[in-house]
Every structure is written in structure tokens, then in C-alpha cells.
């Protein structure tokens, strides 16, 4: 039991198939009601796909577990209807500080630019995120969330999967066209299918202590190498919701996990850090080791793996849940098009390719962070400490300090879904990039760009004056919305104005869109449903947009 949180207990309801004894086939089943499985289920249900979610438990995650959610994950959570709750409850932060012994040697700002809706990161205990997602899932009539439903066997073929599911009332059978596996790092489904996951286990142990205390520490990430209160090791401090602070103590591989978790061993470590006068209460304690590994492919026929079931990283850099949420963001729009018969199922191969690339990027950064934090030889330790000493005075050394390169979205620049540039552009919004945000205005209403872009293909056409758009161009814009895979064209302009009938105008009143997208009059961006850039041009060409759309949906013949 936690002093700051009361665990909900969700009611088990006997499944209708078990009551009737009849098999039923569903378009999509999701196994696992953690943050990633729920995100997938909600996004699909919002798009009109009936979804069943199976979970073997009847509550949310025990302990705070994942706590850091990055800007990109928050933008995805916004689109599934839980972002506001998360940010309101969580602790927003942008600044991180790194200390060597007693001195600060390095700091960073995750969001140095103004005019973004979301902060660089929030800290929020995982059980809150799951609670908000479950609440949202229950609002959707085509989402069936089944607790205490444990998958005990699976048979998968080219047409789908048949599952045997155990409940308090016995075992029943479910069939599905597509199975999304989100049952975590120890994935039972992955094991049942005999699928391998390859990588590296790090020979070190860390103690997590969630501590309740009233303190005036700023909302920042603090990381110590070799501090006087924990010599020879590292310590990480994060502030969470409800006056809870997460402290990670490096222990070394020889530490006994069971002994280290005992309060009589944890409390002296915390007192050494905080001082004897600081009152605190232990909320949750765990000892963990970690791994950096992934499956070779995330798609196996009609079985699709997401989150920790597909890939695992060390906790330094907050790349676990953040990358899992981005998995679902990449997968669901593609699966929806395949289900609707508007794209071949080869589009789902690009889910695996794009997210394997992202996973490899995360694994590389996570491994480098871990090697810096936990040097494995005297030579590595000497090098690391030399870097930390130099970082006090020299900028080149600060760039080498690695206390966890924090989660950023992958730039899918090599994706086969991208259309290469035909004109010259500056800036970061290349094909494959996740969109930057910008403040906008429409008919006097202020909003954020990312709140009105996504879940469908959109073309953003930058014009000097919306009133000056001629009738022929307007007809070409509107014709794209009537295609089998519709593309909504929105005019973006530095000026307010009435557009031709049937078109909307986003007023770039602060000039941030023009700045971040290197937009000039005539510039057009084609955006994927997951808010990644698919293509861009310096002048509108309906045929070019159609060709880029076909490429982005694997409809090129």
C-alpha cells in the first residue's frame, strides 16, 4: 500500500463468449493493459475499429515504475485524450543538472525554444497514466477492456490468431484478425510463439526509493557522479506528483537485492543524502537490473509487437514507455488503413522497419549512457572522471558527459514512405521528421498546431494571403479531400482572412510555423496521421501530392 495513492480495483465481468459458449472473431485484440497497450487500443477505437483488450490483472501498475514522459509522448497522449490529465497531475520540467562529487559540471534545457504547448518532460507515476488511460478507454463504446483475462495459449497463422484465455470462470476461446502484443518485457505471448529477443544484460544493480517529503528542490533532474553521500557510485533525483521524490542509487553487481530493499538499509542511504533533519517517508522500494535488447522484427505475420515486448532499454534517458507510446502512434494509422482495405498489408512491414530503426537509436543511446554511468574497467573509470573534471571549464568535455541522453523522437529520414525533396529547404522539418508545434489562430480562436493536425493525412499550404487563393487552386485543394484516402488541405498564412469556401485557414500569428518549417509562399507540407512529415514542396502540385500519398501508404504499383 502507498500512502499517497489508493489502488483502484477494476471489476471482472464474465466475457460474453464464455457465457454463450460461442466463438467470436474480432478485427483487433490487444494483450496487455499497460500504458502502451492502452494507447494502441484507444487510438484504434477512436478511429472506429472495434478492439478487445485482455489483461491478467485487475488494477494499475504496482509502484511508480516509469515516471518520465517526454514531449513527443505527451503529444501522442494529447491525441488519445489523456494529455491534459497527465500534465495537470505531473511535474513539468526542462532543466537537468549533472554533478561530479560536490560541483555542478553540466546542465541542459530540453526545451530552449518558446512557443510549444508541452514541456520537454513531465514526471508522473505510471499508475496515474494507466488510470487516466483506463478512464478514457471506458468512454469508448467499441473498446472492450477485460480484466483478469490471461492468455494461456496462442495459435497464429496467416489469417490471424486463436487464443485460449483463462478467467475466474474457466477458459474460453477468442479469435482475431490482428493481435497487438503489449504484455511487457517478459512477454508470455512472445515466449509462446518461440520468438527470440537479443541484446545485453548490464551487470549492475540500482535501488529505486520513492520518498514522500516536503522539500523545496526545483522541478529539475539532478544526477550525481561519485557524490560524498554515496561515494564511488551514482545517484539520480526526480520530483514526482504528490510530494514524492524518486531517488536511484547505484549499488554495484555484488549487492544483494533482498537485503538492499530492507528499510534498515535504505533509510541510512537517504539520510546520508538529505541529512538527518529532513523528514521523509518511504513510499516504494525496488532493486533492478536492466537490459538493452530487441526482437529482430516487430511484425510476425498478423502478430504485432509493441513497447517492452518488442524492445527494452536501460532507464537512463526515459526511453522505455516513451518509445512504446511512439510504437503505437506509428502502428495504428497503418493498421486502420489495412483494415479498411485502403492499403496493402505490406504497409505494416514499414511499422517494423521504422520502429526497429527507432529502437536501435534508443539502444545505442541507452548503452552509451549506461557505459558512462557504470564504467566496467579502471581505464573507463579514469576516462570518465577526466571528462567530468574537464567539463567544469571546457564546453567540448560537457558534450561528452552522459548521465542519460533523454528521450527524443526518431527522425525517420530513411523511411521508404518518404518522398525526397525536390526543392531546397532549411531547418529540421525534413521528410520523416516529427512535426514541430506552433501557436496558431483560426477565426479568432487561439490553439496549438499539433492539436489540430494528426489522425489523418493533411497538407499544410503556406500562402501570403488566403483571400488571394484563386478558384482553380482551391478546387484542386478540395479535390484531394474526396480521394479514397482523403487529404485535408489547410491554408497557413501570416494573415487572417476568409479562405475560399470549403478551406480552413490557420493564422501563423507568431510566425513560428514559417520559422520552424522554413515556409515561404507556395510551400506545401504533406503530413502523415502520426504527425510525421511525408513530403514537402516549394509549390503545390496535385499530382505530386497524390504520388507522395501513394508512396506513404504503399499504394505504389
Amino acid at each position: 500500500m502507498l500512502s499517497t495513492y489508493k489502488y483502484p480495483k477494476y471489476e471482472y465481468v464474465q466475457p460474453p463468449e464464455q457465457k454463450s459458449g460461442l466463438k467470436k472473431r474480432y478485427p483487433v485484440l490487444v494483450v496487455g493493459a499497460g500504458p502502451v497497450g492502452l494507447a494502441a487500443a484507444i487510438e484504434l477505437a477512436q478511429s472506429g475499429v472495434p478492439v478487445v483488450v485482455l489483461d491478467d490483472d485487475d488494477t494499475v501498475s504496482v509502484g511508480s515504475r516509469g515516471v518520465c514522459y517526454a514531449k513527443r509522448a505527451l503529444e501522442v497522449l494529447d491525441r488519445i485524450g489523456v494529455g491534459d490529465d497527465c500534465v495537470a497531475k505531473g511535474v513539468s520540467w526542462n532543466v537537468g543538472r549533472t554533478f561530479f562529487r560536490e560541483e555542478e559540471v553540466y546542465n541542459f534545457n530540453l526545451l530552449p525554444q518558446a512557443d510549444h504547448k508541452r514541456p520537454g518532460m513531465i514526471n508522473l507515476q505510471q499508475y496515474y497514466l494507466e488510470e487516466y488511460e483506463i478512464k478514457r478507454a471506458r468512454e469508448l463504446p467499441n473498446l472492450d477492456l477485460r480484466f483478469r483475462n490471461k492468455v494461456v495459449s496462442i495459435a497464429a497463422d496467416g489469417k490471424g490468431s486463436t487464443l485460449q484465455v483463462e478467467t475466474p470462470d474457466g477458459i474460453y476461446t477468442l479469435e482475431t484478425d490482428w493481435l497487438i502484443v503489449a504484455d511487457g518485457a517478459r512477454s508470455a505471448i512472445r515466449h509462446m510463439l518461440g520468438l527470440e529477443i537479443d541484446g545485453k544484460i548490464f551487470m549492475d544493480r540500482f535501488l529505486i526509493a520513492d520518498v514522500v517529503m516536503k522539500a523545496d528542490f526545483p522541478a529539475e533532474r539532478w544526477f550525481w557522479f561519485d557524490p560524498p553521500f554515496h561515494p564511488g557510485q551514482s545517484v539520480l533525483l526526480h520530483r514526482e506528483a504528490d510530494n514524492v521524490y524518486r531517488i536511484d542509487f547505484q549499488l554495484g553487481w555484488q549487492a544483494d537485492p533482498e537485503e538492499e530493499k530492507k528499510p534498515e538499509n535504505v533509510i541510512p542511504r537517504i539520510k546520508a543524502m538529505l541529512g538527518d533533519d529532513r523528514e521523509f517517508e518511504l513510499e516504494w522500494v525496488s532493486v533492478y537490473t536492466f537490459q538493452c535488447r530487441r526482437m529482430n522484427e516487430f511484425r510476425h505475420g498478423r502478430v504485432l509487437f509493441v513497447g517492452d515486448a518488442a524492445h527494452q532499454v536501460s532507464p537512463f534517458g526515459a526511453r522505455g514507455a516513451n518509445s512504446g507510446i511512439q510504437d503505437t502512434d506509428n502502428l495504428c494509422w497503418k493498421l486502420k488503413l489495412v483494415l479498411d482495405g485502403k492499403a496493402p498489408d505490406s504497409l505494416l512491414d514499414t511499422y517494423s522497419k521504422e520502429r526497429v530503426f527507432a529502437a536501435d537509436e534508443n539502444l545505442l543511446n541507452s548503452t552509451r549512457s549506461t557505459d558512462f554511468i557504470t564504467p566496467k574497467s579502471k581505464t573507463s573509470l579514469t576516462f570518465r572522471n577526466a571528462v567530468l573534471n574537464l567539463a567544469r571549464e571546457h564546453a567540448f568535455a560537457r558534450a561528452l558527459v552522459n548521465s542519460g541522453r533523454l528521450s527524443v523522437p526518431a527522425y525517420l529520414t530513411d523511411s521508404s514512405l518518404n518522398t525526397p525533396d525536390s526543392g531546397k529547404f532549411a531547418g529540421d522539418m525534413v521528410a520523416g521528421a516529427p512535426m514541430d508545434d506552433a501557436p496558431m489562430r483560426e477565426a479568432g480562436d487561439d490553439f496549438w498546431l499539433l492539436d489540430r493536425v494528426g489522425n489523418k493525412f493533411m497538407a499544410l499550404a503556406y500562402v501570403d494571403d488566403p483571400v488571394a487563393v484563386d478558384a482553380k487552386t482551391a478546387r484542386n485543394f478540395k479535390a484531394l479531400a474526396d480521394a479514397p484516402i482523403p487529404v485535408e488541405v489547410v491554408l497557413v498564412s501570416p494573415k487572417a482572412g476568409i479562405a475560399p469556401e470549403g478551406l480552413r485557414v490557420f493564422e501563423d500569428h507568431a510566425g513560428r510555423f514559417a520559422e520552424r518549417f522554413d515556409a515561404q509562399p507556395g510551400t506545401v507540407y504533406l503530413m502523415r496521421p502520426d504527425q510525421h512529415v511525408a513530403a514537402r514542396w516549394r509549390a503545390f502540385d496535385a499530382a505530386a501530392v497524390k504520388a507522395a500519398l501513394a508512396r506513404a501508404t504503399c499504394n505504389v504499383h
Side-chain angles (χ1 to χ4, degrees):
M1 295 293 291
L2 303 181
S3 64
T4 60
Y5 183 76
K6 183 178 179 181
Y7 278 91
K9 198 168 185 69
Y10 297 109
E11 183 184 5
Y12 160 73
V13 177
Q14 186 178 22
E17 298 84 3
Q18 201 166 39
K19 280 184 178 180
S20 66
L22 299 174
K23 290 183 186 177
K24 185 172 180 181
R25 192 173 187 91
Y26 292 91
V28 180
L29 286 180
V30 177
V31 179
V36 176
L38 288 167
I42 293 167
E43 184 169 346
L44 286 167
Q46 285 184 166
S47 70
V49 178
V51 187
V52 175
V53 181
L54 306 176
D55 194 82
D56 60 3
D57 204 353
D58 61 0
T59 188
V60 292
S61 66
V62 175
S64 60
R65 297 172 64 108
V67 297
C68 297
Y69 299 97
K71 180 177 181 290
R72 182 63 197 143
L74 294 173
E75 291 161 356
V76 178
L77 294 174
D78 277 337
R79 297 213 317 277
I80 64 171
V82 299
D84 285 344
D85 286 340
C86 291
V87 174
K89 184 66 179 177
V91 175
S92 297
W93 64 275
N94 292 310
V95 173
R97 301 187 186 279
T98 298
F99 303 87
F100 181 39
R101 298 179 180 138
E102 295 177 287
E103 290 185 43
E104 181 179 328
V105 296
Y106 174 71
N107 63 68
F108 58 82
N109 188 335
L110 294 173
L111 199 67
Q113 292 180 320
D115 290 334
H116 288 266
K117 177 182 178 182
R118 292 307 185 199
M121 196 80 71
I122 68 164
N123 292 344
L124 180 71
Q125 295 90 316
Q126 183 173 317
Y127 43 74
Y128 280 119
L129 172 57
E130 291 183 19
E131 184 182 322
Y132 301 149
E133 286 181 306
I134 289 168
K135 179 186 174 186
R136 175 64 183 142
R138 289 179 148 186
E139 295 170 352
L140 299 168
N142 56 346
L143 199 164
D144 184 358
L145 183 49
R146 301 183 183 182
F147 295 101
R148 299 183 70 188
N149 276 245
K150 181 180 180 180
V151 178
V152 293
S153 75
I154 175 174
D157 58 29
K159 296 181 179 179
S161 300
T162 302
L163 286 69
Q164 299 295 311
V165 185
E166 185 178 51
T167 75
D169 292 306
I171 293 175
Y172 72 103
T173 302
L174 273 180
E175 295 181 348
T176 185
D177 296 330
W178 296 92
L179 181 68
I180 297 177
V181 182
D183 59 348
R186 297 183 180 89
S187 172
I189 302 290
R190 191 182 65 226
H191 180 72
M192 290 174 199
L193 292 173
L195 297 171
E196 297 297 324
I197 185 164
D198 300 316
K200 178 179 178 182
I201 298 174
F202 286 88
M203 308 291 278
D204 209 333
R205 289 193 168 96
F206 284 77
L207 170 75
I208 295 176
D210 273 2
V211 173
V212 183
M213 63 178 173
K214 291 184 178 178
D216 54 1
F217 301 135
E220 298 177 346
R221 176 190 194 261
W222 288 357
F223 194 102
W224 289 265
F225 290 99
D226 192 17
F229 54 83
H230 193 54
Q233 306 279 29
S234 62
V235 179
L236 175 64
L237 176 70
H238 271 295
R239 180 176 155 196
E240 305 173 55
D242 303 326
N243 290 321
V244 176
Y245 285 80
R246 158 72 66 84
I247 308 173
D248 288 50
F249 292 98
Q250 183 184 3
L251 298 175
W253 183 244
Q254 303 305 320
D256 182 329
E258 294 308 312
E259 282 297 312
E260 293 293 348
K261 284 192 288 189
K262 292 179 179 177
E264 61 265 30
N265 293 322
V266 176
I267 288 171
R269 292 191 188 281
I270 298 171
K271 283 191 171 183
M273 178 182 182
L274 301 177
D276 289 333
D277 297 334
R278 175 79 64 183
E279 291 185 10
F280 65 87
E281 177 186 341
L282 276 183
E283 178 85 340
W284 180 65
V285 176
S286 181
V287 173
Y288 64 88
T289 58
F290 46 84
Q291 307 169 48
C292 284
R293 57 184 193 159
R294 69 162 172 85
M295 299 176 71
N296 289 328
E297 296 180 349
F298 299 168
R299 178 191 179 186
H300 290 265
R302 288 183 168 233
V303 182
L304 304 151
F305 289 82
V306 294
D308 285 353
H311 49 79
Q312 294 126 47
V313 293
S314 82
F316 303 114
R319 293 170 180 269
N322 285 290
S323 61
I325 289 168
Q326 289 171 72
D327 288 345
T328 67
D329 189 42
N330 187 292
L331 171 63
C332 290
W333 69 269
K334 297 174 179 177
L335 183 53
K336 167 68 173 169
L337 285 174
V338 172
L339 286 165
D340 288 347
K342 294 181 178 180
D345 80 358
S346 59
L347 181 60
L348 293 169
D349 292 335
T350 71
Y351 159 68
S352 182
K353 289 175 183 174
E354 290 183 346
R355 293 311 298 167
V356 162
F357 167 80
D360 283 344
E361 193 171 77
N362 283 325
L363 288 165
L364 177 63
N365 278 288
S366 186
T367 300
R368 285 175 174 170
S369 297
T370 304
D371 286 342
F372 193 87
I373 291 165
T374 62
K376 302 303 183 290
S377 68
K378 287 185 177 179
T379 302
S380 297
L381 178 62
T382 300
F383 169 77
R384 189 201 70 183
N385 288 351
V387 166
L388 290 167
N389 275 314
L390 287 167
R392 293 187 177 103
E393 303 292 337
H394 301 286
F396 82 90
R398 288 177 207 131
L400 300 174
V401 174
N402 192 340
S403 61
R405 297 280 190 256
L406 286 156
S407 176
V408 293
Y411 278 64
L412 306 171
T413 51
D414 292 332
S415 172
S416 62
L417 304 185
N418 298 340
T419 294
D421 288 343
S422 56
K424 289 187 177 181
F425 285 85
D428 296 332
M429 291 297 97
V430 298
M435 288 179 66
D436 265 347
D437 208 354
M440 291 284 176
R441 185 173 293 147
E442 183 178 13
D445 176 28
D446 287 349
F447 62 93
W448 293 98
L449 176 62
L450 292 182
D451 281 345
R452 297 199 184 174
V453 176
N455 303 320
K456 58 185 173 182
F457 280 94
M458 295 181 71
L460 303 180
Y462 193 82
V463 297
D464 185 51
D465 186 348
V467 177
V469 174
D470 62 76
K472 181 180 177 182
T473 302
R475 283 196 301 272
N476 287 333
F477 284 163
K478 287 183 281 189
L480 290 169
D482 297 325
I485 300 175
V487 177
E488 181 186 1
V489 179
V490 175
L491 305 181
V492 181
S493 175
K495 300 177 183 177
I498 299 173
E501 187 178 352
L503 292 176
R504 300 164 64 193
V505 180
F506 290 174
E507 182 191 346
D508 183 26
H509 61 89
R512 294 298 191 186
F513 181 88
E515 171 194 327
R516 291 170 183 168
F517 290 76
D518 187 26
Q520 305 164 9
T523 299
V524 177
Y525 276 81
L526 178 65
M527 301 302 186
R528 298 182 352 177
D530 59 2
Q531 297 176 331
H532 278 69
V533 177
R536 58 186 180 172
W537 303 271
R538 282 304 186 193
F540 174 73
D541 181 327
V545 175
K546 290 174 184 176
L549 177 67
R551 182 167 181 157
T553 56
C554 288
N555 278 307
V556 178
H557 302 295

